Amino acid sequence: LLILVTILNENDNPPVFPEPNITRQIPEDTEVDTVIVAREEVTATDADLDTIYYELTTTVQNTDGYFAIRGVNNPEIYLQTALDYDKFNSTTLLLYARDRPVTSPEPTNTATATITITIKQSDTRAPWFLPCTQLHNDTSVCISSPYSGRVNISEMSTDPLLLEPGPIYAVDPDYTISDRIVYRIVGGNTNEVFSVDEDTGNLTMNKIVTSPDSFLLQVMATQVSNVRKYSVATVEIKVITKSNFPPYFEKGVYNGTVFVGLPQRSFVYQAGDPSTPLVITAMDQDFPDV
């Protein structure tokens, strides 16, 4: 008597990942479509020899869409969207392996692998001159205003010049790198009147100015470790005549007369002389001919 026995394969084994916990550190400037976790590192096996279906999710808010798998049957993880360290610097991904499609009504066995990704800030931005204003809360761009200052004609100042809105100062916005910044004047320095301290950014005079012409200096801030990362700021220096005396009024008290019912912007007349408009005059001994 010949008896044939057929053993049916039951779905009684869950998928198994080769490593359920994976850690990766990647630079911020990683190119889109770069493989983060290779396929063989996250390919699950199933003792029942079932086809494995994969799904990738994230557990960190606002980090969806940055990482993805190649396909439902290909768990290779790659970078889908460019990274920004200021938006997030780490995330945790969950990779699910199922032995049935997600929509299958049949009982399904599932395995989970956890992928922890840490982002390392890259040197992606040029120095920022301070103070500066970010545009629409965009932390990647900060716009600074020109600097301005004054010097007296025919007078040599030995101290650093006082500027508005503050001293020349730039920082590396990639703050975890915080590269050292050096300064130099690259334009507008006629006759080499001014010099800038390489380390502090303080602006000083090398010689006196003998003409009332203004200077429009171009000061460049450069990162020491990467000379291609630089920014240029404008510094306007006005040359003025030194003021030794404050202005003063010709009279201590001025008396005027107005008439009832006059419209706005009508003249105020001198008291006692209703035909002569009241004029208030100030003088300055620094400018006797003005």
Side-chain angles (χ1 to χ4, degrees), residues 71-125:
V72 68
N73 300 122
N74 182 352
E76 180 179 87
I77 300 174
Y78 70 99
L79 182 64
Q80 183 173 246
T81 303
L83 298 170
D84 185 344
Y85 185 87
D86 291 326
K87 292 182 178 178
F88 70 98
N89 52 40
S90 66
T91 188
T92 300
L93 308 177
L94 296 179
L95 180 62
Y96 298 100
R98 301 182 176 91
D99 55 13
R100 295 289 185 274
V102 175
T103 57
S104 175
E106 300 179 31
T108 303
N109 295 311
T110 304
T112 305
T114 302
I115 300 96
T116 302
I117 296 179
T118 302
I119 300 168
K120 182 180 179 182
Q121 190 172 37
S122 300
D123 190 8
T124 59
R125 293 176 291 189

Side-chain angles (χ1 to χ4, degrees), residues 45-67:
T45 57
D46 189 343
D48 298 318
L49 302 180
D50 291 321
T51 300
I52 306 299
Y53 300 87
Y54 298 93
E55 180 186 7
L56 185 69
T57 64
T58 179
T59 63
V60 179
Q61 189 176 8
N62 298 325
T63 62
D64 288 332
Y66 285 90
F67 301 92

Side-chain angles (χ1 to χ4, degrees), residues 197-248:
D197 188 281
E198 182 183 66
D199 297 314
T200 66
N202 285 336
L203 191 66
T204 54
M205 296 184 69
N206 298 323
K207 59 184 73 172
I208 63 173
V209 183
T210 57
S211 66
D213 298 330
S214 296
F215 292 81
L216 200 61
L217 306 177
Q218 303 294 319
V219 177
M220 183 168 69
T222 308
Q223 294 181 203
V224 170
S225 65
N226 188 350
V227 295
R228 294 185 178 182
K229 290 290 189 297
Y230 67 89
S231 295
V232 177
T234 301
V235 184
E236 183 183 14
I237 303 296
K238 294 182 178 179
V239 181
I240 63 173
T241 301
K242 185 176 181 180
S243 179
N244 295 310
F245 303 97
Y248 64 92

Side-chain angles (χ1 to χ4, degrees), residues 88-276:
F88 70 98
N89 52 40
S90 66
T91 188
T92 300
L93 308 177
L94 296 179
L95 180 62
Y96 298 100
R98 301 182 176 91
D99 55 13
R100 295 289 185 274
V102 175
T103 57
S104 175
E106 300 179 31
T108 303
N109 295 311
T110 304
T112 305
T114 302
I115 300 96
T116 302
I117 296 179
T118 302
I119 300 168
K120 182 180 179 182
Q121 190 172 37
S122 300
D123 190 8
T124 59
R125 293 176 291 189
W128 288 350
F129 281 97
L130 301 181
C132 64
T133 304
Q134 294 180 355
L135 296 179
H136 311 297
N137 296 321
D138 182 357
T139 58
S140 63
V141 179
C142 201
I143 305 299
S144 60
S145 300
Y147 296 94
S148 62
R150 298 182 299 176
V151 296
N152 294 323
I153 193 169
S154 301
E155 183 176 302
M156 180 74 175
S157 174
T158 57
D159 296 325
L161 301 184
L162 297 178
L163 303 175
E164 294 292 340
I168 298 173
Y169 181 61
V171 297
D172 182 358
D174 300 312
Y175 52 88
T176 63
I177 300 173
S178 192
D179 198 2
R180 187 167 73 91
I181 306 296
V182 293
Y183 307 88
R184 64 189 179 101
I185 300 174
V186 295
N189 194 14
T190 306
N191 298 324
E192 302 296 321
V193 173
F194 302 97
S195 61
V196 65
D197 188 281
E198 182 183 66
D199 297 314
T200 66
N202 285 336
L203 191 66
T204 54
M205 296 184 69
N206 298 323
K207 59 184 73 172
I208 63 173
V209 183
T210 57
S211 66
D213 298 330
S214 296
F215 292 81
L216 200 61
L217 306 177
Q218 303 294 319
V219 177
M220 183 168 69
T222 308
Q223 294 181 203
V224 170
S225 65
N226 188 350
V227 295
R228 294 185 178 182
K229 290 290 189 297
Y230 67 89
S231 295
V232 177
T234 301
V235 184
E236 183 183 14
I237 303 296
K238 294 182 178 179
V239 181
I240 63 173
T241 301
K242 185 176 181 180
S243 179
N244 295 310
F245 303 97
Y248 64 92
F249 289 104
E250 287 186 315
K251 298 180 182 180
V253 177
Y254 290 84
N255 295 311
T257 299
V258 294
F259 298 97
V260 175
L262 291 178
Q264 293 183 1
R265 306 182 69 84
S266 296
F267 283 121
V268 176
Y269 294 93
Q270 293 184 18
D273 186 359
S275 62
T276 304

